[in-house]
């Protein structure tokens, strides 16, 4: 990812799914109500890195939708947890 994507990520979207001190999250948000998106990278302490992109469409065209933002982090975490399962 480029330098812009390696900047700290606001904690309300992608990073909200990884509230751990040893997991590094970088990314770039995109919002054009009702669309809310985030693309980024997640690096775990064991060196494993994952590219992740979550795209959503809200029912309301509001600029601030905390629950929709939280879904982005939760979805990313669940996808990466699936990929990290033993035997995958």
């Amino acid at each position: 990812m480029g330098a812009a994507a390696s900047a700290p990520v606001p904690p309300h979207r992608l990073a909200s799914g990884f509230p751990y001190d040893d997991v590094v999250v970088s990314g770039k948000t995109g919002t054009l109500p009702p669309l809310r998106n985030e693309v980024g990278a997640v690096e775990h302490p064991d060196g494993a890195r994952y590219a992740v992109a979550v795209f959503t469409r809200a029912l309301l065209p509001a600029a601030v939708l905390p629950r929709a933002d939280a879904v982005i982090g939760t979805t990313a975490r669940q996808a990466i947890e699936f990929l990290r399962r033993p035997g995958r």
Side-chain angles (χ1 to χ4, degrees):
M1 300 203 88
S6 65
V9 177
H12 63 284
R13 287 193 183 172
L14 191 59
S16 71
F18 304 91
Y20 317 111
D21 290 339
D22 56 354
V23 175
V24 178
V25 180
S26 59
K28 176 70 177 100
T29 63
T31 304
L32 181 60
L35 306 175
R36 338 178 68 70
N37 312 312
E38 187 143 351
V39 178
V42 177
E43 183 174 354
H44 282 262
D46 62 4
R49 295 178 183 163
Y50 301 88
V52 64
V54 181
F55 299 88
T56 67
R57 182 179 188 144
L59 295 175
L60 303 171
V64 178
L65 292 171
R67 290 180 69 189
D69 289 340
V71 165
I72 291 173
T74 300
T75 301
R77 185 187 70 249
Q78 289 175 343
I80 291 174
E81 285 176 352
F82 175 80
L83 293 173
R84 290 179 61 81
R85 287 194 318 201
R88 292 255 346 121

